[in-house]
Amino acid sequence: MRRRERHGRGLRGPLAAPNPITGAPVALRQRPRPADFFAACLKASVARTAAVCPRALVGIDIGYEDVPGNLDAWRSVRVPVAASVPVRPGQNGQVVLFRRPLEHRATSRADLRRLVHRTLVEQLSAVTGIGLDELDPSGETEDDWG
């Protein structure tokens, strides 16, 4: 079906031909939303850490929040990018990354990916006592990129 160009505003209608098998329109790829991208980065970082050093994740709950609670307490100093609670008897340890402060410090999506991994590894090292070189043998947690 052809559609005419009305009033000189350019092509109207679908930009991609329908799928020849199903007849349904082809869905256009969209860039993931920031929260979805952050969650994917964190998931990939946890998987990468589990592959390298699985004992670091035993008894540790990992999650993220948009911003740290009680922001008024952080007005005079830098807002934290993560928080951790060590393992206690009968209770798992916790590592929480804060999405908005990490996104604010990153200059690109690749930078955010590295920053999320670096922050997670540093927090796991602090909670478990395992060295950074054992948690991330590739050395991406070094301070050479910012």
Side-chain angles (χ1 to χ4, degrees):
M1 164 189 220
R2 290 190 59 149
R3 297 191 180 167
R4 63 188 180 124
E5 181 181 341
R6 301 170 88 181
H7 309 288
R9 286 185 249 156
L11 179 66
R12 298 287 184 238
L15 296 177
N19 185 326
I21 298 170
T22 63
V26 177
L28 300 175
R29 287 186 49 187
Q30 294 182 350
R31 192 173 182 169
R33 294 180 312 151
D36 296 336
F37 182 75
F38 186 87
C41 289
L42 183 57
K43 185 177 178 180
S45 181
V46 169
R48 181 174 162 185
T49 304
V52 173
C53 185
R55 70 184 178 101
L57 301 174
V58 174
I60 304 292
D61 297 329
I62 298 172
Y64 75 93
E65 294 180 8
D66 281 344
V67 293
N70 193 10
L71 283 177
D72 293 333
W74 300 102
R75 294 283 182 222
S76 61
V77 295
R78 290 184 72 169
V79 176
V81 294
S84 59
V85 176
V87 178
R88 296 185 186 136
Q91 200 173 24
N92 284 350
Q94 296 177 351
V95 173
V96 178
L97 275 64
F98 300 121
R99 180 177 71 88
R100 299 291 298 212
L102 283 167
E103 287 175 345
H104 183 70
R105 285 172 175 81
T107 57
S108 66
R109 286 191 162 208
D111 193 25
L112 179 61
R113 228 179 272 116
R114 284 190 301 269
L115 190 56
V116 165
H117 183 68
R118 174 182 175 183
T119 305
L120 177 66
V121 167
E122 287 176 354
Q123 292 297 315
L124 284 173
S125 178
V127 168
T128 62
I130 299 172
L132 290 174
D133 53 343
E134 188 177 343
L135 288 171
D136 187 25
S138 67
E140 282 193 22
T141 57
E142 298 298 320
D143 286 330
D144 57 340
W145 61 273

